Amino acid sequence: LSPGAKMGCFTFIKVMMILFNLAIFLGGGTLLGVGIWVKVDGASFLNIFGALSTSVLQVVNVAYLLIVIGAILLVIGFLGCYGAQKESKCLLMMFFSVVLIIFIVEVAAAVVALVFTGLAETLLTGLVTPLLKDKYGADPTFTHIWNLTMTEVHCCGLNNYTDFDDSYFYKKHDSYPWQCCGDTCLSFWGMLCPGSWGIAISCQTHPCGCLLQGCFPQILEEIRTNAGVAGGVAAGIAALEIAAMAVAMYLYCRLDEK
């Protein structure tokens, strides 16, 4: 290519890099704002987006997840946009390094999820079960999220009702959450004790023994059902990350020639 054509190509890629990372920066700011909103006023957020409560994200603290993802996207967007605009080799290399680290972490997580499924389940159980024991019934937002999840998915806890053994909720009420009892069980118990479930907040261990299975198996089944969509999204994100690293390295190398 002639020098003019090379310069035109460089300018075009530079502009695309700026616009792409500006979109990432704005998206990160939006996620960060939503995360702060969920943390400060989670009740109103759930009232608006309650239908999403069956999402896999409900097993973790959505507010902190959104804040972390938003902050990471803000950093990436800033480094890429400002680095390209100022033609800073340092910022471009930082952008490349951050995206590369995220890419490696994602690949490692995918390998663990596919090859070491048992380990992934153990790690998730070890993370979520202590939260259920400590925060369910004590944290209103966390409790609301899990109540919606257990009601809509028809499940109890992460593994099963024993996740609530020795928990804050069980120690306070000496019982399990009422969502742990299936509709058939509740109807049966209601016939034995009419009106007892009108404003009930718990489910005593009782003769019909209808305590539901945990949410984790159903979440896994939902993931398997939508594995194709999830895989396509993951592949698309990986392709964007590879393209972003390639463009950043191209600009970095072209700055030497300039």
Side-chain angles (χ1 to χ4, degrees):
L1 295 176
S2 65
K6 290 183 178 180
M7 182 57 65
C9 181
F10 175 84
T11 303
F12 174 77
I13 293 179
K14 173 184 171 181
V15 171
M16 291 297 100
M17 179 80 166
I18 293 173
L19 293 177
F20 177 72
N21 283 281
L22 180 60
I24 292 178
F25 182 84
L26 294 176
T30 301
L31 286 179
L32 182 62
V34 171
I36 295 174
W37 172 29
V38 174
K39 182 62 181 174
V40 174
D41 189 16
S44 64
F45 179 85
L46 289 172
N47 288 334
I48 297 175
F49 298 102
L52 300 178
S53 61
T54 59
S55 167
V56 178
L57 294 179
Q58 300 306 322
V59 301
V60 297
N61 193 311
V62 180
Y64 288 122
L65 182 67
L66 291 176
I67 290 173
V68 170
I69 294 177
I72 292 175
L73 291 179
L74 276 176
V75 172
I76 293 175
F78 172 79
L79 291 175
C81 184
Y82 194 68
Q85 197 276 328
K86 292 295 184 180
E87 298 185 1
S88 169
K89 295 181 64 177
C90 179
L91 292 179
L92 287 173
M93 182 53 67
M94 290 177 63
F95 171 84
F96 178 88
S97 300
V98 171
V99 176
L100 178 61
I101 291 172
I102 293 174
F103 180 78
I104 293 174
V105 170
E106 290 173 350
V107 171
V111 170
V112 170
L114 292 175
V115 180
F116 304 104
T117 306
L119 176 60
E121 293 180 12
T122 301
L123 291 175
L124 183 59
T125 301
L127 172 67
V128 177
T129 303
L131 291 176
L132 280 174
K133 291 185 179 297
D134 297 336
K135 299 182 66 175
Y136 186 85
D139 185 319
T141 300
F142 183 84
T143 304
H144 189 190
I145 290 173
W146 268 97
N147 283 342
L148 286 173
T149 300
M150 292 190 293
T151 300
E152 295 185 15
V153 184
H154 303 292
C155 57
C156 175
L158 185 67
N159 299 295
N160 51 51
Y161 71 93
T162 59
D163 289 340
F164 295 102
D165 289 347
D166 298 322
S167 66
Y168 170 88
F169 183 89
Y170 194 89
K171 291 176 181 177
K172 182 176 181 179
H173 300 285
D174 194 28
S175 59
Y176 302 107
W178 69 265
Q179 289 86 355
C180 289
C181 301
D183 294 337
T184 303
C185 184
L186 292 180
S187 299
F188 177 80
W189 193 247
M191 288 188 293
L192 295 180
C193 304
S196 62
W197 290 102
I199 55 174
I201 61 171
S202 62
C203 170
Q204 300 287 347
T205 302
H206 47 71
C208 64
C210 294
L211 292 170
L212 297 175
Q213 66 173 340
C215 299
F216 192 55
Q218 299 193 48
I219 290 174
L220 285 179
E221 183 61 30
E222 184 176 344
I223 292 175
R224 293 189 183 102
T225 302
N226 299 282
V229 176
V233 172
I237 293 175
L240 286 175
E241 291 171 343
I242 293 173
M245 289 188 289
V247 170
M249 188 53 62
Y250 170 81
L251 294 176
Y252 180 89
C253 295
R254 286 284 287 120
L255 288 176
D256 283 335
E257 298 179 13
K258 290 182 66 178

